[in-house]
Amino acid sequence: MTRRDELLTLPEVLEELGGVSRRTFYRWRELRHAPKCVKLPNGELRVWRSDLVVWLESLREAA
């Protein structure tokens, strides 16, 4: 059974990354080293779980 993709909030993403700080995540975004984000009309960021997984896999291959 395939798990349905979901939009993660920024706090959920930071927790998934082991407690990375919000500031560090925004710095990664500035440097274009962060996973793809969806910016909602209210300015909040969301990340599709599938994009987070792909991003993490790309880091493993680069290591």
Side-chain angles (χ1 to χ4, degrees), residues 15-53:
E15 186 177 323
E16 292 266 339
L17 295 175
V20 170
S21 74
R22 183 178 293 262
R23 181 176 180 173
T24 296
F25 187 84
Y26 277 104
R27 180 70 178 142
W28 290 349
R29 276 183 46 88
E30 286 177 22
L31 297 171
R32 300 191 183 275
H33 294 305
K36 294 180 196 174
C37 296
V38 175
K39 191 169 191 176
L40 301 178
N42 65 1
E44 291 183 14
L45 295 177
R46 297 287 188 274
V47 177
W48 286 107
R49 180 173 293 283
S50 59
D51 286 339
L52 181 61
V53 170

